[in-house]
Amino acid sequence: LKSIAVMTSGGDSPGMNAAARAVVRTALHQGAEVWGINNGYKGLLKDDIVKLESRSVGDIIQRGGTFLGTARCSEFTTPEGRQKAFEVLKKRGIEGLVVIGGDGSLTGAKLLNDLGMPVVGLPGTIDNDVWGTDYTIGSDTAANTIVDAINKLRDTASAHRRIIIIEVMGRKSGWLAMTAGIAGGAEQILVPEVRNNLDIVCQELKESYDKGKRYSIVVVAEGYGCAVEIGKKVAEVTGIDTRVSVLGHIQRGGSPSVEDRIKASMLGERAASALIAGISNVLFGFDAGKIVTIDLTNAVNNKKTLDPELARLAKILA
Ligand code: F6P
């Protein structure tokens, strides 16, 4: 293909810029022209598309967010919306598209591919919940942001001998909570994939406090439940002074980690090269440190599960 486009869609994640930059520079390196679609599918439907040059993606590798902008778009979920999007691309002479986003965005990408527009997907979400890849762009930075927050919350939890409950993002996935919880040394990690009994959690927290533990950190995945409610129950049952911290969108921002910059760059290069070579309806991801090609249809039709090894490790180390 000689003319491709790139877009970011859904929740932004640190490293999306590195991926888009790699798509642009690879395409130009191979003599193709490359377009940027602003604000995801919403922008596509509005024909909000700009030609990108090498300098358009200068000074962005270190930035979180996405220079293209992103959005969640309900119109694109309808067949009429997708047909309109297809026609916008055709009219522009765009022959293929790289979509960087999470589950919902990749489902949209697959449906656009079904209409006859060659699409390659890249997993971009802090949640790390895309099937077929053990890595998604932004998940490493977000996990590090959470660990940094846990480190800080430990200081104050210890000073007051409190239990601190931290709610983290991840949608239906417990990956962020589990990974950051282990790395942050949390006493309890509550994820939707493992239905811990809250009464037992309270009992364990109380027992360790009675044995002299100064404080406890409990990480709760948003998909498990509401930390404020859990905090109320923990305080009631244990009688221990408890505080709740909902980290929120701070987890989505910040300068991407080295891992996110490198992996996103590798994925962006691969996506542009594949698309230009005529490969489509695939998702590129990582498996055990190596880039893998995943059928896009399989990626969006399957649900990723949390590695049970992580839950086992967390239990032993707590
Ligand atoms: O999918 C990324 C994510 O940050 C989830 O972890 C979270 O549930 C959701 O997006 C929040 O979405 P929004 O930014 O639209 O509130």
Side-chain angles (χ1 to χ4, degrees):
L1 311 187
K2 279 282 164 217
S3 178
I4 68 167
V6 57
M7 73 147 86
T8 50
S9 168
D12 59 290
S13 66
M16 278 183 162
N17 280 329
R21 171 180 177 269
V23 169
V24 171
R25 295 210 167 149
T26 302
L28 296 173
H29 185 73
Q30 297 193 14
E33 61 177 18
V34 57
W35 300 82
I37 298 169
N38 290 322
N39 308 320
Y41 294 114
K42 210 174 219 166
L44 172 55
L45 287 168
K46 288 191 181 137
D47 193 18
D48 188 357
I49 300 176
V50 289
K51 186 94 177 288
L52 297 174
E53 304 301 338
S54 189
R55 248 177 302 142
S56 319
V57 290
D59 199 26
I60 64 167
I61 195 166
Q62 77 281 17
R63 292 201 207 141
T66 159
F67 84 105
L68 288 168
T70 184
R72 304 196 191 277
C73 174
S74 52
E75 192 185 346
F76 189 77
T77 60
T78 67
E80 299 75 31
R82 287 193 294 273
Q83 187 58 39
K84 188 169 152 195
F86 175 80
E87 276 150 23
V88 169
L89 291 168
K90 277 277 164 205
K91 198 190 72 199
R92 286 267 187 183
I94 293 168
E95 300 168 306
L97 176 65
V98 178
V99 175
I100 308 166
D103 252 351
S105 308
L106 295 170
T107 302
K110 184 234 171 268
L111 294 170
L112 197 52
N113 192 92
D114 289 349
L115 287 179
M117 176 56 55
V119 179
V120 167
L122 291 183
T125 166
I126 63 165
D127 303 339
N128 204 355
D129 60 350
V130 177
W131 187 87
T133 173
D134 58 23
Y135 164 81
T136 61
I137 296 164
S139 56
D140 182 65
T141 306
N144 277 293
T145 301
I146 298 168
V147 171
D148 184 48
I150 294 175
N151 292 341
K152 288 178 172 136
L153 289 165
R154 272 179 182 284
D155 295 343
T156 175
S158 168
H160 286 267
R161 293 209 69 195
R162 281 173 172 158
I163 295 173
I164 293 200
I165 316 241
I166 307 157
E167 182 181 305
V168 305
M169 283 185 169
R171 224 176 267 278
K172 290 181 181 158
S173 161
W175 184 89
L176 266 179
M178 191 53 86
T179 309
I182 293 172
E187 276 66 39
Q188 298 278 346
I189 306 170
L190 306 180
V191 295
E193 295 87 346
V194 184
R195 295 311 304 183
N196 298 61
N197 181 314
L198 209 47
D199 289 314
I200 296 175
V201 169
C202 290
Q203 194 188 318
E204 288 174 355
L205 288 167
K206 178 87 174 77
E207 275 168 16
S208 58
Y209 196 82
D210 290 345
K211 279 189 208 147
K213 196 164 180 43
R214 273 203 72 79
Y215 69 97
S216 289
I217 297 288
V218 179
V219 178
V220 180
E222 63 177 350
Y224 176 90
C226 165
V228 173
E229 294 305 317
I230 294 167
K232 270 189 207 145
K233 166 139 184 171
V234 168
E236 240 169 62
V237 176
T238 64
I240 303 167
D241 204 11
T242 300
R243 292 291 184 275
V244 172
S245 186
V246 178
L247 291 189
H249 285 79
I250 198 156
Q251 297 161 90
R252 285 244 294 268
S255 182
S257 65
V258 171
E259 178 173 354
D260 278 329
R261 294 184 199 195
I262 298 287
K263 286 189 166 159
S265 299
M266 290 169 74
L267 290 171
E269 186 274 337
R270 184 62 78 89
S273 300
L275 200 54
I276 290 166
I279 296 163
S280 62
N281 202 31
V282 294
L283 171 83
F284 289 108
F286 275 87
D287 184 20
K290 294 257 175 292
I291 291 195
V292 286
T293 311
I294 304 130
D295 181 83
L296 193 53
T297 312
N298 283 343
V300 300
N301 285 339
N302 286 291
K303 289 276 158 271
K304 186 169 175 179
T305 51
L306 187 67
D307 181 358
E309 260 314 289
L310 291 175
R312 197 182 68 84
L313 180 64
K315 202 77 207 144
I316 294 170
L317 302 183

